[in-house]
Amino acid sequence: MSLSQSFQLSVYRIVQELMNNIIKHSEATEALVQLHQENGKLTITVEDNGKGFSNEQVYEGIGFSNIKSRLSLLKGSFDINSSASNGTSVFIELQLEK
């Protein structure tokens, strides 16, 4: 399936922002990025083994605000799981353009 350049760029920027957050804030020694396409959906999982954060801290930064904005334009959703000392996992689901 061929995806528009704007869709591809938005996905790239979302993953880039998540990786930037890992590098700047998590103190992780490992990170994992997975993309999976199936049944007209693209799922992205970004995980790290860093210091994590509390749920109250999730939406305070500009980075997550940018991610939310991009996902809103793409009609996507995301879920963040994190806790102190247990790392962070972000799951994103996007409907692919037809």
Side-chain angles (χ1 to χ4, degrees), residues 26-74:
S26 76
E27 300 176 13
T29 59
E30 295 179 2
L32 175 68
V33 177
Q34 297 178 355
L35 286 84
H36 183 75
Q37 178 184 336
E38 188 174 31
N39 298 327
K41 290 184 181 177
L42 176 67
T43 58
I44 305 166
T45 305
V46 179
E47 299 176 311
D48 69 63
N49 67 345
K51 65 182 181 178
F53 52 86
S54 68
N55 287 335
E56 295 83 44
Q57 295 173 300
V58 170
Y59 301 106
E60 292 177 5
I62 293 171
F64 277 118
S65 176
N66 289 339
I67 291 168
K68 282 176 41 177
S69 176
R70 289 182 196 279
L71 286 172
S72 176
L73 291 172
L74 297 174

Side-chain angles (χ1 to χ4, degrees), residues 11 14-15 18 34 36 42-46 67 71 76-79 90-94:
V11 169
I14 290 167
V15 173
L18 291 169
Q34 297 178 355
H36 183 75
L42 176 67
T43 58
I44 305 166
T45 305
V46 179
I67 291 168
L71 286 172
S77 62
F78 77 114
D79 184 44
V90 179
F91 179 78
I92 296 170
E93 187 171 86
L94 299 165

